[in-house]
Amino acid sequence: QVLLVESGGGLVQAGGSLRLSCAASGRTFSSGSMGWFRQAPGKEREFAAGIGRNGGITYYADSVKGRFTISTDNAKNTVYLQMNSLKPEDTAVYYCAAGSGVRFYDPSTYIYWGQGTQVTVSS
């Protein structure tokens, strides 16, 4: 079993930045995938960013490409999502996920999910 705990969410003005963290504990992965998804009110959960556990492969949704950066610190079993140039449409609950495979955008790639952290971007 793997426990994922997100942190770093909050309220920020448009154009600002936030860095989300996701700490994994329990049985850790030596290989596999980590991802960030988000769900806005009244909308389905959508993929934001994914990374291979070795950090060599990253993948982004078009809506966040160039603004968000996903990274991983395997020594700390932590994955980060640096979010810059935030927009009101980025407002959502952000979820961290862990799994295996390279279909980062596919929720079925992921086995474990965190509880989410709220990000609110004001205009």
Side-chain angles (χ1 to χ4, degrees), residues 38-49:
R38 64 186 186 180
Q39 188 167 18
K43 295 187 177 181
E44 294 186 355
R45 190 173 299 188
E46 66 174 10
F47 168 76

Side-chain angles (χ1 to χ4, degrees), residues 26-64:
R27 185 175 71 87
T28 56
F29 291 99
S30 60
S31 63
S33 308
M34 299 290 291
W36 287 96
F37 286 72
R38 64 186 186 180
Q39 188 167 18
K43 295 187 177 181
E44 294 186 355
R45 190 173 299 188
E46 66 174 10
F47 168 76
I51 188 168
R53 286 285 290 175
N54 63 6
I57 300 174
T58 58
Y59 191 78
Y60 297 93
D62 288 342
S63 58
V64 308

Side-chain angles (χ1 to χ4, degrees), residues 94-112:
Y94 283 71
Y95 297 91
C96 173
S100 60
V102 294
R103 293 168 58 95
F104 298 116
Y105 52 87
D106 186 348
S108 66
T109 293
Y110 302 95
I111 303 170
Y112 301 103

Side-chain angles (χ1 to χ4, degrees), residues 66-88:
R67 299 187 299 122
F68 290 10
T69 302
I70 188 170
S71 61
T72 184
D73 184 337
N74 288 339
K76 297 181 179 180
N77 279 322
T78 299
V79 63
Y80 304 97
L81 186 66
Q82 178 67 43
M83 305 186 295
N84 298 329
S85 302
L86 283 162
K87 305 175 182 180

